[in-house]
Amino acid sequence: MALRILLLADGIPPFVMGGMQKHSLQLAEQLARLGNRVSLYHFTYSVVKEREVRKCFSGAANENLEVKTFLYSDNSVLPGHYLRSQKRMSRIYWNEFLTEDGVFDFIYAKGFMAWSFLKERNGIGLNTPIGIKFHGYEMFQKAPSIKVRMQHMMLRQAVKWCSLNADVVFSYGGKISDIISDLGVESGRILEAPSGIEASFVREKLPPIKDGGPVSFCFVGRNERRKGINELTHALQRMLASSSEFRFHFIGPIPEGIQLKDERITYHGVVTNMEGKKEILDACDVLVCPSYSEGMPNVILEGMARGLAIIATDVGAVSAIVDNENGVLLPFPSSPSLFRAMSSMVAVSKDSLDEMKRGSLERIWSGFLWDQIGVNLNDQIQRKVSHSKSILP
């Protein structure tokens, strides 16, 4: 059956960039393309016309998609400003929802966009099940610094309250489901669904095994402390001093002041063109993701989709996509462990490295395409809606 679904997003690309936003875009695309009537609420930082937003979706999705765009503002620098702004945005969404005609079968909310809906629904007798997704629940994962730990502490109580009061809590699986369970959410309210990659980004097959040439690594991301840039930089300094034959590519806004000066390391800066990004990834063998906290990183899925082996830390739901068959899973993003992992990739045989690379690609094709995930997620929502209707008085 076709459902009427309200999707409360925390922005979508290219208007708001990030892994959560890419996930929201694909949610709207998949659920609408499957025949559901989807109302998408999303925010931007400047005025955007609806026709620009609709260019982000396929024709099939646009037939079933209603789009409402709101302006987001956060001009404060006082502690707690992020949470206050998020709650204010949720209130704007709630006020718009009160003007809607008809009844929604399901409300899917990203993070704090659910706040006002969970607070106010009893007041108007809203029986529509509300599902919530906080992606990686990073505020309950290890912090890389005292500053980040304090930021996490400010968010934990609100995140826990939202999770306990939602009807459904979406998880990528792995350690994220453990975090949600530890908050007190019953297992029956936790629905696991991985993130995915579009089929158009996935390489059909790998080229023949290369003979000779150095192993090439890649990091994709911004200079954010939790991404492990400091530890990776120190590990690379040891790699350079060891005279290892390797190459390393950085994709993302890495400040010049912390860039290493060596012909073996290339900083590409921000690469927004997908074909350009594919070209760089295709020239590499191993993706490195040394984060302190994550959900299910898009950068890992993208690397796997282009047939790269993976070095990553065992955080969030990373263990659901990386193991010894397609890479190295590190318990902690320390410089020594990164150095050892990269050195092992340099020393491993070409046959073994290519086996890991093919393992990544095969894993993507077998269960991490958005077309597959969309169908499975739609089935889960359908079952939740049917169950909710069956127990209504």
Side-chain angles (χ1 to χ4, degrees), residues 307-341:
L308 274 65
I310 309 296
I311 296 174
T313 39
D314 185 10
V315 293
V318 172
S319 62
I321 50 178
V322 180
D323 55 31
N324 58 10
E325 293 184 357
N326 70 324
V328 177
L329 201 58
L330 303 175
F332 186 76
S334 68
S335 297
S337 64
L338 284 166
F339 171 73
R340 288 191 296 270

Side-chain angles (χ1 to χ4, degrees), residues 12 69 100 122-123 143 151 161 167 171 188 223 339 358 377 386:
I12 60 170
T69 305
E100 293 278 5
N122 290 337
Q151 293 171 345
W161 183 89
D167 301 291
S171 168
N223 181 36
F339 171 73
R358 294 182 193 283
L377 181 61
S386 296

Side-chain angles (χ1 to χ4, degrees), residues 54-313:
R54 289 194 175 276
K55 290 178 181 178
C56 303
F57 299 96
S58 67
N62 271 311
E63 290 180 4
N64 295 313
L65 189 63
E66 180 185 25
V67 175
K68 294 191 177 181
T69 305
F70 305 84
L71 279 175
Y72 184 91
S73 63
D74 181 6
N75 299 319
S76 175
V77 295
L78 297 175
H81 67 92
Y82 170 77
L83 183 56
R84 290 192 298 273
S85 296
Q86 291 281 296
K87 289 180 178 180
R88 184 164 56 248
M89 195 73 245
S90 179
R91 170 62 61 177
I92 293 172
Y93 281 6
W94 172 256
N95 289 337
E96 181 65 27
F97 167 75
L98 294 177
T99 70
E100 293 278 5
D101 295 326
V103 177
F104 288 99
D105 298 298
F106 191 81
I107 298 173
Y108 191 125
K110 288 301 188 75
F112 292 117
M113 296 305 101
W115 183 266
S116 290
F117 290 76
L118 297 173
K119 282 281 188 182
E120 306 293 344
R121 64 173 173 178
N122 290 337
I124 65 168
L126 178 63
N127 294 317
T128 304
I130 299 176
I132 193 169
K133 187 172 184 67
F134 274 104
H135 288 262
Y137 280 79
E138 281 91 347
M139 66 289 300
F140 294 98
Q141 296 187 43
K142 187 173 180 59
S145 66
I146 294 176
K147 178 181 179 181
V148 175
R149 188 179 304 123
M150 294 301 295
Q151 293 171 345
H152 285 178
M153 294 298 293
M154 296 180 70
L155 296 173
R156 285 183 178 180
Q157 185 177 359
V159 171
K160 181 177 181 179
W161 183 89
C162 288
S163 300
L164 290 175
N165 284 278
D167 301 291
V168 171
V169 181
F170 290 101
S171 168
Y172 286 134
K175 292 184 176 180
I176 297 175
S177 292
D178 295 337
I179 292 172
I180 297 170
S181 179
D182 289 343
L183 292 179
V185 179
E186 301 91 341
S187 59
R189 293 198 291 123
I190 303 173
L191 296 185
E192 293 188 353
S195 189
I197 199 84
E198 293 179 80
S200 61
F201 196 89
V202 185
R203 209 170 187 171
E204 290 190 13
K205 61 181 181 179
L206 289 176
I209 296 175
K210 295 184 298 182
D211 290 323
V215 172
S216 292
F217 299 87
C218 187
F219 171 90
V220 183
R222 56 192 178 276
N223 181 36
E224 183 183 338
R225 185 66 189 91
R226 73 179 178 92
K227 297 294 184 181
I229 289 285
N230 291 10
E231 291 75 11
L232 177 58
T233 299
H234 293 151
L236 282 172
Q237 287 173 330
R238 288 189 63 183
M239 293 282 288
L240 294 171
S242 69
S243 300
S244 297
E245 273 300 309
F246 74 98
R247 297 291 183 271
F248 204 103
H249 298 263
F250 282 90
I251 300 176
I254 308 301
E256 186 175 356
I258 66 170
Q259 293 181 12
L260 299 173
K261 309 302 180 183
D262 192 281
E263 62 182 10
R264 286 168 284 183
I265 301 179
T266 303
Y267 293 87
H268 297 274
V270 177
V271 179
T272 57
N273 180 276
M274 284 297 102
E275 292 306 314
K277 193 173 188 180
K278 287 180 186 178
E279 184 177 345
I280 297 170
L281 291 175
D282 289 353
C284 295
D285 302 291
V286 185
L287 181 92
V288 184
C289 184
S291 299
Y292 278 84
S293 62
E294 285 287 358
M296 182 174 280
N298 282 314
V299 294
I300 292 182
L301 292 168
E302 289 175 350
M304 291 171 61
R306 302 311 296 178
L308 274 65
I310 309 296
I311 296 174
T313 39

